[in-house]
Amino acid sequence: MKQNHKRIPIFDKLQQFTYTNPISFHVPGHKNGEIFPGQARTYFDSILKLDMTELHGLDDLHAPTEVIAEAEELAADFFDSDHTFFLVGGSTAGNLAMVLAACSPGEKIIVQRNCHKSVMNGLELSGAKPVFIAPEYDEAVDRYTSPSYSILKEALQKHSDAKAIVLTYPDYFGRTYPIKAMIDLAHSYNIPVFVDEAHGVHFTLGKPFPASALSLGADAVVQSAHKMAPAMTMASYLHLKSKFISKERIAHYLQIIQSSSPSYPLMASLDIARFFLAKMQTNELEHILQSVNGVRDILDSCDAWNVLPIEPEDDPLKITLHVKQFYSVQDVARLFEKENLYPELITHNQLLFIQGLKPFHKQDQLQKIVKRVGEQLKIKSNHDTIEIAKLFPEAIQELALSYQEMHARSYRRVPFDEGIEHIAAEAVIAYPPGIPIILKGERITAAHLAATRQLRNQGVRIQQRESGIKIYRK
Ligand SMILES: Cc1ncc(COP(=O)(O)O)c(C=O)c1O
């Protein structure tokens, strides 16, 4: 790091501005918080004072030259990128921009199949021709994680004309994999690698966290600062360090995707998140780690589940409870929620807890909660386990229709079982963590339907607006 990370340029400028008691004859309509109804005002008051617009001296996110440029430069210095973009539309905006910047209609892009839906949406918007690579079923953690090196190698041999590769690292549960070898392989084909590191903004801190994708050679990396660092929801970064993809191209798509009135509190929180991370000391990290190990032990004191052990490739801030088959994960989650303790996510067999970047001080309370949850938990009547390990029989897969063909066709909704052998006009996604069981544009198989039915029976939420499934007409 070359720069002075004690500076917080956007926040400082906004703060100075509030000291001048500015009179607002501009947007936003709350007039520096003066117009805001009732009780809500008490909560919003201080933040509304920072909720400015592009006034003189406050710069412009889409063409930054002053405080926003300065804040982005500080972030670039800390994260060691060539350029860092502040995002006010979450990693969602970053993923869309990366894909759009890489591909014109019909151009190939290799994509990890269990990617976030924003990547899928980027594919559809760009009209690219995706080549999906399936994740491996990771027996150690009993879920799908990442694609293997050999699958990527095979995909690259068949599709060396791909314009980019999109990988997710870490997965939602904080598990990483040897991504460097995959990046090096892609670079040997002169293909850039984009990484959705939405859950890994803190990896730049180094040990005990896994290495960041940017430090391992990725070309563009998106991180949700709001997920693991103290930033406001939607505040994210897009880091660029590539000879393959230009800053101008990414900037072009970001200004298309993102609001022309980006939120100053969000941008200031990105500035503050970088400041927070940059000032973190090794001893603080040690305290956090000790604390998370303590939390892990407490959570592990119930027989109804196991806490998955942490491997060197895992983010230690993520704690995964693997619920035994005699119990329902939904029941476990509801009992925790009854105690006002809210886990991050629930799958058919696991529950994810996330510790923040600070020590947790309510151990006694947690101990009591875990005990009460264990005592109230009842053995479920149906002990069936589901065989999702064979969800993706095709390791490398293309869609049955191009996005342009899909766009031109009409579709109809049919009962789920009648969808078999037709081409899906919508994705069927188990959410969270967002694994697409059926892709939009994919031919529906009996295995797809069986997997969807089983997951649904297990209480997994399938993200669909209506029942049945949309299929394309011939
Ligand atoms: C892997 C992954 N990528 C991207 C996103 C989208 O991030 P954001 O909420 O910052 O838009 C998420 C959200 O959960 C995610 O899990």
Side-chain angles (χ1 to χ4, degrees):
M1 285 188 283
K2 295 186 211 83
Q3 306 227 21
N4 170 9
H5 284 279
K6 291 194 176 128
R7 291 183 301 138
I8 323 175
I10 301 178
F11 175 69
D12 286 347
K13 191 76 185 175
L14 290 170
Q15 207 184 13
Q16 280 164 23
F17 205 68
T18 64
Y19 295 154
T20 63
N21 292 325
I23 300 165
S24 167
F25 272 99
H26 56 78
V27 298
H30 58 67
K31 303 290 168 190
N32 305 334
E34 284 170 29
I35 308 174
F36 218 69
Q39 214 192 345
R41 186 161 173 183
T42 322
Y43 286 94
F44 278 75
D45 213 18
S46 46
I47 203 88
L48 290 176
K49 290 192 172 50
L50 303 183
D51 190 30
M52 289 290 162
T53 188
E54 287 80 4
L55 301 177
H56 182 75
L58 290 184
D59 212 356
D60 173 357
L61 178 67
H62 296 295
T65 54
E66 302 169 283
V67 278
I68 298 176
E70 215 185 312
E72 288 187 335
E73 273 165 31
L74 282 164
D77 182 61
F78 174 70
F79 290 100
D80 197 21
S81 69
D82 287 344
H83 184 77
T84 290
F85 293 94
F86 279 13
L87 308 177
V88 291
S91 289
T92 297
N95 283 338
L96 289 171
M98 288 194 302
V99 175
L100 286 164
C103 291
S104 299
E107 286 183 336
K108 280 187 195 164
I109 180 164
I110 299 174
V111 181
Q112 176 173 340
R113 181 180 172 124
N114 56 336
C115 62
H116 187 256
K117 62 181 176 180
S118 53
V119 176
M120 297 289 181
N121 291 336
L123 296 174
E124 188 170 342
L125 284 177
S126 69
K129 194 168 185 301
V131 174
F132 291 102
I133 50 174
E136 303 251 278
Y137 196 76
D138 187 340
E139 301 285 345
V141 291
D142 202 8
R143 58 172 192 264
Y144 284 96
T145 51
S146 48
S148 66
Y149 177 89
S150 58
I151 288 176
L152 178 65
K153 189 171 169 191
E154 198 184 324
L156 278 168
Q157 279 161 354
K158 286 189 188 146
H159 305 281
S160 57
D161 53 342
K163 295 291 170 195
I165 295 168
V166 187
L167 298 172
T168 307
Y169 169 104
D171 73 357
Y172 213 126
F173 298 80
R175 195 163 180 81
T176 66
Y177 53 99
I179 197 171
K180 182 169 182 341
M182 293 162 89
I183 295 171
D184 291 346
L185 178 68
H187 286 172
S188 72
Y189 283 83
N190 284 325
I191 299 177
V193 179
F194 301 158
V195 179
D196 177 352
E197 201 175 64
H199 297 271
V201 71
H202 53 307
F203 288 3
T204 305
L205 294 171
K207 294 276 175 216
F209 305 118
S212 73
L214 203 66
S215 73
L216 299 175
D219 294 81
V221 176
V222 161
Q223 296 174 327
S224 296
H226 66 94
K227 291 196 197 298
M228 298 301 290
M232 287 175 70
T233 296
M234 293 176 85
S236 301
Y237 303 114
L238 193 166
H239 309 296
L240 196 61
K241 195 172 187 171
S242 180
K243 61 176 180 182
F244 299 108
I245 195 105
S246 78
K247 178 182 158 188
E248 288 68 33
R249 232 177 132 73
I250 298 277
H252 172 71
Y253 287 102
L254 282 177
Q255 60 82 26
I256 292 179
I257 294 160
Q258 301 206 101
S259 170
S260 60
S261 314
S263 156
Y264 273 87
L266 286 193
M267 291 188 278
S269 82
L270 281 166
D271 204 10
I272 290 165
R274 180 270 315 152
F275 164 81
F276 172 88
L277 292 171
K279 76 175 175 51
M280 192 157 266
Q281 303 290 320
T282 317
N283 64 335
E284 288 177 82
L285 286 175
E286 280 163 8
H287 284 141
I288 293 167
L289 199 63
Q290 271 167 14
S291 159
V292 76
N293 286 339
V295 170
R296 199 176 285 281
D297 288 346
I298 294 172
L299 286 170
D300 212 10
S301 62
C302 180
D303 288 341
W305 57 77
N306 298 317
V307 170
L308 291 185
I310 281 290
E311 305 297 336
E313 63 271 24
D314 296 327
D315 176 358
L317 298 182
K318 302 281 175 94
I319 307 170
T320 306
L321 271 50
H322 194 278
V323 177
K324 293 184 182 163
Q325 73 176 95
F326 306 105
Y327 302 99
S328 142
V329 189
Q330 305 292 325
D331 289 350
V332 177
R334 293 297 89 82
L335 288 170
F336 271 115
E337 285 172 10
K338 223 173 97 191
E339 300 280 347
N340 295 326
L341 190 158
Y342 295 89
E344 166 69 13
L345 99 91
I346 308 162
T347 72
H348 70 282
N349 61 352
Q350 297 182 340
L351 218 63
L352 174 67
F353 289 67
I354 303 180
Q355 161 131 10
L357 279 169
K358 84 172 187 36
F360 178 80
H361 292 301
K362 296 181 182 163
Q363 266 85 352
D364 291 348
Q365 192 184 349
L366 182 63
Q367 186 88 64
K368 287 182 193 139
I369 291 174
V370 171
K371 190 160 173 280
R372 281 198 294 268
V373 169
E375 284 164 358
Q376 291 176 70
L377 199 55
K378 301 209 174 43
I379 290 186
K380 67 174 178 184
S381 48
N382 165 11
H383 296 171
D384 292 348
T385 50
I386 59 170
E387 192 48 61
I388 63 163
K390 298 185 184 69
L391 209 56
F392 308 122
E394 302 288 333
I396 300 173
Q397 202 191 1
E398 293 172 67
L399 296 177
L401 294 176
S402 71
Y403 288 114
Q404 293 79 356
E405 287 167 321
M406 288 184 227
H407 194 66
R409 285 197 190 194
S410 62
Y411 53 79
R412 63 194 168 103
R413 185 169 286 281
V414 295
F416 211 68
D417 289 341
E418 290 176 26
I420 194 157
E421 291 305 321
H422 289 279
I423 299 173
E426 66 181 342
V428 175
I429 300 175
Y431 203 85
I435 294 185
I437 307 163
I438 305 174
L439 298 165
K440 183 173 176 177
E442 184 174 34
R443 198 169 292 281
I444 303 165
T445 65
H448 285 143
L449 297 184
T452 311
R453 218 176 290 118
Q454 286 189 51
L455 285 168
R456 206 177 254 144
N457 289 344
Q458 294 277 328
V460 173
R461 194 158 66 87
I462 305 291
Q463 203 178 46
Q464 269 178 309
R465 278 179 197 273
E466 295 168 55
S467 62
I469 185 159
K470 278 194 315 201
I471 55 162
Y472 284 111
R473 292 183 207 273
K474 298 228 163 78

